[in-house]
């Protein structure tokens, strides 16, 4: 409580990692954070996921049927949008870590996303903002979107991407901030939080790919985009209600400035000889808001250690206690180690991109495959192709609680680790599943084309192939297994291994693997099409999926995923965990 301008800690329950309450006082653990705050964060995320995924998963159908794009063009458009959706977290993560803090970053960027969703809803609902319907025959006379129609669409989509960039890196991070890492009792709940956070995400995703996709396919995209916009407004309200019980980590200054200071300070002293660890500047122990995270010195990237080497008094045995005159000339060991941490996770980051390139096909080409197949479920209901991801989510919702409640305690007995296995081992298991997902996709696509050939439908892409859409279930189920291990493992790994004051940036680095995977998918589709169209050939990926060689494309991705798995094993073996 604040008396005469100073903060007095009335109980040890207030001591911890320097978290504050909404009044800027040291947070009281009896009244804030922990599992009491988690339900509001879960409620915010389930609404955000319903809103965002309710748009994302059926966009390829919207682009082909309403905006009249070709199949490859629509696939690339979705990949570029999703890539941007997962790249903008660098903006939101930087703003939170450096200036706004996580709470206000979420509040501001969520408002931007709501505005973008309103623009997209207007684009779908107002006839003059989209092309006229295609004539029944011939389809070649379809008029594509142009000018202000495309402009309205782009403004809506990329305002959504910008707004979501402030939500994705900060909601999970704010949730993990509710558990004090310095408290043994609370720390053990952090891994459970990440598992249940992803479980809640999957519930939101399940509702979005069933209810919202059904509305979009059967009622219209105006309502199908408008209802998610309303849900997003509800998410903002739920989030703001929880301000009384959240714990807040104050912004720690620009992470980019720290990185630049370490690099420049080390470069200034690049000519100094061997460095003794005893000479390095340790830095202050306490800051304005409490204890400063102290990070142990490591032997990797020794060239950066020069940034913590005091200049001018190298012979003085007391230099380790010297006070830095300028952060551009002298940095603390912990600052140097923060930069080392960011560099150290980059190989892991690079080795988890390909998995998202492979899995992104199930948001585009697999949906287009499903649209050519028999959707019937009984006499009066057709299963929407964009809802195929329901089977990956069913996997997550069934397996994740079993993993958390049965497998983790069992593995804990053998490994002694709170989470059963290391985060890198968990990521590796997921990468292995992704290879099998693509091999199954190859077999199913070959079977689909074989059935089309048997019924003489190779040149009739708009005619339904007499093969059930549910043949696609196994590859989606395996995608769910991949996400249980790889995506949750990434979320936990990049949060735990990031410096305390760069954790939103750490989560943004993880999310950027999804972005880069989708952008790489766009590049791969373009390169493969150009390479396979040489010499007058039709190419692997065309508007007529029955004549395409989508199986070859999937096989290429399976091969790339296998090679990437080997690369990941080398990176994981080299990696040193944060101390």
């Amino acid at each position: 409580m604040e008396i005469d301008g100073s903060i007095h800690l009335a109980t040890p329950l207030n001591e911890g990692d320097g978290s504050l309450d909404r009044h800027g006082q040291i947070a009281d653990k009896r009244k804030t954070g922990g599992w009491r705050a988690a339900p509001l964060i879960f409620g915010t995320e389930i609404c955000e996921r319903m809103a965002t995924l309710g748009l994302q998963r059926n966009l390829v159908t919207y682009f082909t049927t309403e905006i009249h794009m070709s199949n490859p063009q629509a696939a690339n458009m979705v990949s570029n949008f999703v890539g941007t959706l997962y790249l903008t977290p660098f903006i939101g993560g930087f703003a939170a870590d450096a200036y706004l803090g996580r709470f206000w970053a979420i509040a501001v960027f969520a408002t931007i996303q709501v505005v973008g969703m309103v623009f997209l809803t207007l684009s779908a609902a107002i006839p003059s903002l989209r092309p006229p319907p295609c004539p029944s025959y011939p389809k070649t006379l379809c008029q594509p979107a142009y000018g202000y129609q495309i402009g309205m669409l782009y403004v809506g989509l990329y305002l959504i991407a910008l707004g979501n960039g402030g939500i994705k890196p900060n909601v999970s991070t704010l949730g993990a901030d509710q558990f004090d890492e310095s408290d043994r009792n609370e720390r053990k709940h952090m891994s459970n939080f990440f598992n249940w956070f992803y479980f809640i995400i999957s519930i939101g995703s399940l509702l979005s790919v069933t209810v919202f996709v059904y509305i979009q396919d059967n009622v219209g995209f105006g309502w199908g985009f408008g209802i998610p916009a309303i849900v997003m407004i509800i998410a903002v309200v739920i989030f703001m209600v929880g301000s009384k019980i959240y714990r807040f980590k104050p912004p720690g200054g620009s992470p980019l400035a720290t990185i630049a200071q370490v690099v420049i300070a080390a470069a200034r002293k690049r000519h100094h000889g061997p460095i003794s660890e005893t000479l390095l500047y340790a830095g202050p122990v306490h800051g304005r808001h409490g204890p400063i995270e102290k990070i142990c010195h490591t032997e990797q990237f020794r060239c950066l250690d020069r940034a913590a080497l005091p200049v001018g008094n190298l012979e003085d045995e007391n230099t380790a206690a010297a006070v830095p005159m300028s952060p551009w000339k002298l940095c603390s060991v912990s600052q140097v180690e923060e930069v080392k941490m960011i560099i150290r996770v980059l190989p892991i980051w690079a080795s988890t991109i390909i998995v998202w390139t492979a899995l992104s096909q199930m948001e585009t080409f697999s949906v287009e495959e499903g649209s050519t197949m028999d959707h019937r479920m009984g006499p009066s209901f057709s299963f929407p192709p964009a809802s195929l991801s329901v089977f990956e989510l069913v996997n997550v919702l069934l397996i994740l609680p079993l993993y958390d409640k049965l497998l983790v305690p069992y593995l804990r007995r053998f490994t002694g680790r709170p989470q059963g296995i290391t985060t890198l081992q968990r990521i590796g298991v997921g990468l292995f599943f992704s290879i099998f997902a693509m091999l199954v996709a190859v077999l199913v696509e070959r079977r689909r084309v074989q059935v089309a050939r048997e019924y003489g439908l190779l040149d009739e892409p708009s005619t339904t192939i007499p093969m059930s859409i549910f043949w696609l279930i196994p590859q989606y189920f395996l995608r769910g297994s991949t996400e249980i291990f790889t995506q949750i493992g990434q979320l936990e790994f990049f949060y735990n291994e990031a410096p305390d004051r760069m954790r939103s940036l750490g989560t943004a680095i993880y999310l950027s693997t999804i972005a880069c995977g989708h952008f790489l998918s766009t590049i791969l589709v373009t390169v493969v099409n150009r390479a396979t169209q040489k010499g007058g050939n039709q190419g692997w990926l065309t508007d007529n999926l029955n004549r395409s060689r989508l199986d070859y494309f999937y096989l290429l991705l399976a091969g790339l995923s296998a090679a990437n798995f080997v690369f990941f094993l080398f990176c994981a073996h080299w990696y040193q965990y944060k101390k």
Side-chain angles (χ1 to χ4, degrees):
M1 139 177 227
E2 188 173 336
I3 302 174
D4 297 331
S6 61
I7 295 175
H8 298 270
L9 305 184
T11 167
L13 290 170
N14 292 33
E15 296 176 359
D17 58 358
S19 294
L20 308 176
D21 62 19
R22 65 172 182 158
H23 300 297
Q25 299 178 346
I26 299 297
D28 187 340
K29 291 183 184 179
R30 297 167 301 183
K31 300 177 181 178
T32 62
W35 288 110
R36 71 174 60 80
L40 286 167
I41 292 172
F42 290 157
T44 302
E45 183 56 22
I46 195 172
C47 290
E48 181 276 326
R49 183 49 60 107
M50 287 170 63
T52 305
L53 206 64
L55 304 177
Q56 178 185 328
R57 283 298 167 90
N58 212 18
L59 271 181
V60 71
T61 304
Y62 180 67
F63 290 154
T64 53
T65 60
E66 301 291 325
I67 307 300
H68 307 157
M69 293 182 179
S70 66
N71 286 336
Q73 187 183 5
N76 282 348
M77 182 79 167
V78 171
S79 292
N80 289 338
F81 169 68
V82 175
T84 306
L85 199 69
Y86 285 96
L87 201 58
T88 52
F90 278 113
I91 300 172
F94 174 80
D97 283 340
Y99 304 110
L100 297 176
R102 300 193 230 291
F103 177 83
W104 284 112
I106 294 169
V108 170
F109 282 85
T111 304
I112 294 173
Q113 178 167 340
V114 168
V115 173
M117 295 178 80
V118 170
F119 270 84
L120 188 63
T121 301
L122 294 175
S123 174
I126 300 175
S128 62
L129 294 178
R130 64 180 191 273
C134 290
S136 55
Y137 185 84
K139 291 288 186 182
T140 52
L141 295 179
C142 285
Q143 179 182 319
Y146 63 91
Y148 64 88
Q149 295 174 340
I150 286 288
M152 190 75 166
L153 177 66
Y154 270 66
V155 168
L157 286 175
Y158 288 98
L159 276 177
I160 292 169
L162 176 61
N164 205 248
I167 300 171
K168 284 190 183 297
N170 292 312
V171 171
S172 61
T173 312
L174 180 67
D177 285 347
Q178 306 309 305
F179 300 91
D180 182 0
E181 283 187 288
S182 65
D183 184 317
R184 202 174 192 186
N185 203 25
E186 290 196 6
R187 181 177 173 81
K188 69 181 181 182
H189 292 292
M190 192 176 290
S191 185
N192 299 90
F193 168 80
F194 285 117
N195 284 333
W196 288 105
F197 181 81
Y198 199 77
F199 183 83
I200 291 298
I201 284 177
S202 299
I203 292 175
S205 301
L206 182 64
L207 292 171
S208 69
V209 300
T210 51
V211 177
F212 291 165
V213 168
Y214 180 83
I215 292 171
Q216 289 162 4
D217 285 351
N218 294 277
V219 180
F221 281 94
W223 282 104
F225 291 161
I227 295 174
I230 295 169
V231 171
M232 191 62 212
I233 294 171
I234 294 171
V236 176
V237 173
I238 292 173
F239 177 72
M240 299 299 289
V241 165
S243 63
K244 292 181 180 180
I245 58 173
Y246 295 147
R247 295 178 193 168
F248 301 88
K249 292 283 184 70
S254 170
L256 297 182
T258 298
I259 294 169
Q261 286 166 356
V262 169
V263 171
I264 290 172
R268 286 175 185 233
K269 291 169 269 189
R270 63 188 178 279
H271 298 301
H272 288 290
I275 303 167
S276 170
E277 185 178 341
T278 58
L279 288 173
L280 300 181
Y281 172 63
V285 177
H286 283 81
R288 192 165 53 120
H289 297 292
I292 295 175
E293 181 188 32
K294 306 304 288 185
I295 307 170
C296 295
H297 177 262
T298 60
E299 295 298 318
Q300 289 179 319
F301 312 115
R302 289 294 303 271
C303 60
L304 294 176
D305 288 345
R306 290 184 173 85
L309 188 66
V311 177
N313 298 314
L314 295 178
E315 310 302 328
D316 185 351
E317 63 180 3
N318 296 319
T319 8
V323 178
M325 298 301 296
S326 166
W328 298 95
K329 294 181 180 179
L330 182 61
C331 303
S332 69
V333 170
S334 291
Q335 286 176 301
V336 172
E337 290 301 323
E338 285 176 345
V339 177
K340 288 184 183 182
M341 283 179 190
I342 299 300
I343 297 173
R344 201 177 287 128
V345 301
L346 292 181
I348 303 297
W349 170 84
S351 62
T352 51
I353 290 174
I354 286 289
V355 65
W356 297 111
T357 301
L359 297 185
S360 70
Q361 309 315 313
M362 296 183 201
E363 299 169 12
T364 54
F365 286 117
S366 293
V367 175
E368 291 172 1
E369 279 179 87
S371 66
T372 70
M373 301 167 79
D374 186 356
H375 309 169
R376 288 175 298 175
M377 287 181 66
S380 58
F381 182 76
S382 291
F383 187 86
S387 292
L388 280 164
S389 54
V390 71
F391 298 106
E392 97 191 38
L393 299 169
V394 166
N395 181 355
V396 173
L397 294 172
L398 290 176
I399 303 300
L400 189 55
L402 297 176
Y403 175 86
D404 188 64
K405 295 299 182 183
L406 298 178
L407 188 58
V408 169
Y410 176 76
L411 292 172
R412 191 183 292 146
R413 276 189 263 167
F414 295 96
T415 65
R417 299 179 182 278
Q419 67 271 53
I421 55 177
T422 68
T423 48
L424 289 178
Q425 288 170 338
R426 185 170 184 169
I427 292 170
V429 172
L431 296 183
F432 195 67
F433 275 120
S434 73
I435 300 170
F436 283 100
M438 296 317 299
L439 290 175
V440 168
V442 171
L443 297 177
V444 173
E445 171 59 9
R446 287 182 175 173
R447 173 63 183 164
R448 189 190 69 82
V449 173
Q450 180 185 347
V451 172
R453 183 180 293 110
E454 289 172 358
Y455 283 85
L457 300 175
L458 289 180
D459 295 311
E460 297 184 35
S462 58
T463 302
T464 300
I465 296 171
M467 175 180 173
S468 174
I469 192 173
F470 299 115
W471 276 76
L472 296 169
I473 289 176
Q475 66 202 60
Y476 279 91
F477 197 81
L478 285 168
R479 172 175 170 145
S481 299
T482 301
E483 292 189 359
I484 288 173
F485 288 94
T486 294
Q487 190 159 14
I488 302 175
Q490 282 182 291
L491 184 62
E492 188 173 355
F493 172 80
F494 284 100
Y495 177 86
N496 287 337
E497 295 303 302
D500 257 7
R501 63 197 188 91
M502 297 185 188
R503 281 189 158 157
S504 290
L505 179 64
T507 305
I509 292 173
Y510 138 63
L511 291 168
S512 71
T513 63
I514 304 175
C516 292
H518 281 79
F519 285 132
L520 183 58
S521 174
T522 298
I523 294 169
L524 204 58
V525 167
T526 303
V527 169
V528 164
N529 249 357
R530 286 181 180 174
T532 56
Q533 285 173 351
K534 287 182 178 178
N537 293 319
Q538 187 176 13
W540 286 4
L541 306 170
T542 67
D543 275 345
N544 182 357
L545 286 184
N546 299 339
R547 286 288 185 184
S548 297
R549 293 316 308 253
L550 197 54
D551 57 332
Y552 286 176
F553 184 62
Y554 286 162
L555 194 60
L556 172 65
L557 286 167
L560 290 173
S561 298
N564 179 71
F565 179 69
V566 175
F567 173 56
F568 171 81
L569 293 179
F570 280 107
C571 295
H573 179 72
W574 168 84
Y575 187 80
Q576 290 183 9
Y577 281 96
K578 171 183 173 181
K579 296 179 182 179

